[in-house]
Amino acid sequence: SPTPLRALIDAGLKHDFDAAKELFAEDCVAVLEPDMDTGRGKKACLGLLTRGALAFNRSMPLDIVFDAATPTWGVFEFINQGTVAPGVVGFAAQSTWKFPADPSTLVGRKYRVPVCMVYQIDANGHISSLHEYTDVASLMKSIK
């Protein structure tokens, strides 16, 4: 069976957000490390992890580098790749990431960026804590 984070990613890619939300513990905490945005609770954790969904079209399959979990923790590392979507304008306005003055100039361009997620699993097998590390400098450099 897939690791908890692989199950979460697969549900998200299918837009099955109800199934994705059920993989989180009620009191989960998620942190996006590039800007320290934090979500607490199932809905907030899922919202935080999907906020870039409108900004980046993950049209290409995930290039999974590493995926392992024990009963109490896991690590999921992958290459996120696709094209920049029109939603990048709104994403840039709410983000502390360094975007060009006019982020709309990025729409349609390809990107490829490494992402690593480190997470804890509670006694019920739910994700209780998740930290996502995205190399934002590599992301911006990769946009072609």
Side-chain angles (χ1 to χ4, degrees), residues 13-87:
L13 290 173
K14 293 177 191 168
H15 299 277
D16 186 351
F17 300 115
D18 289 335
K21 193 164 59 170
E22 289 310 307
L23 295 166
F24 287 109
E26 290 294 334
D27 59 350
C28 67
V29 176
V31 181
L32 299 182
E33 294 298 336
D35 53 12
M36 300 302 290
D37 274 0
T38 302
R40 297 183 190 285
K42 286 183 176 198
K43 185 176 180 183
C45 286
L46 183 62
L48 190 66
L49 295 175
T50 59
R51 74 177 189 164
L54 297 176
F56 300 99
N57 177 4
R58 295 168 182 88
S59 55
M60 300 182 72
L62 290 182
D63 180 359
I64 298 171
V65 177
F66 187 78
D67 181 18
T70 73
T72 58
W73 62 267
V75 175
F76 187 75
E77 184 180 4
F78 64 100
I79 304 297
N80 184 348
Q81 51 193 353
T83 56
V84 180

Side-chain angles (χ1 to χ4, degrees), residues 68-137:
T70 73
T72 58
W73 62 267
V75 175
F76 187 75
E77 184 180 4
F78 64 100
I79 304 297
N80 184 348
Q81 51 193 353
T83 56
V84 180
V88 75
V89 175
F91 180 82
Q94 298 176 4
S95 173
T96 61
W97 296 9
K98 303 273 188 247
F99 282 95
D102 182 2
S104 68
T105 62
L106 302 177
V107 174
R109 295 188 191 181
K110 292 182 180 180
Y111 73 90
R112 180 177 166 86
V113 63
V115 177
C116 183
M117 297 178 164
V118 179
Y119 59 103
Q120 294 177 337
I121 304 165
D122 70 11
N124 297 316
H126 294 105
I127 298 168
S128 59
S129 172
L130 185 147
H131 291 254
E132 179 180 311
Y133 299 87
T134 302
D135 184 345
V136 177

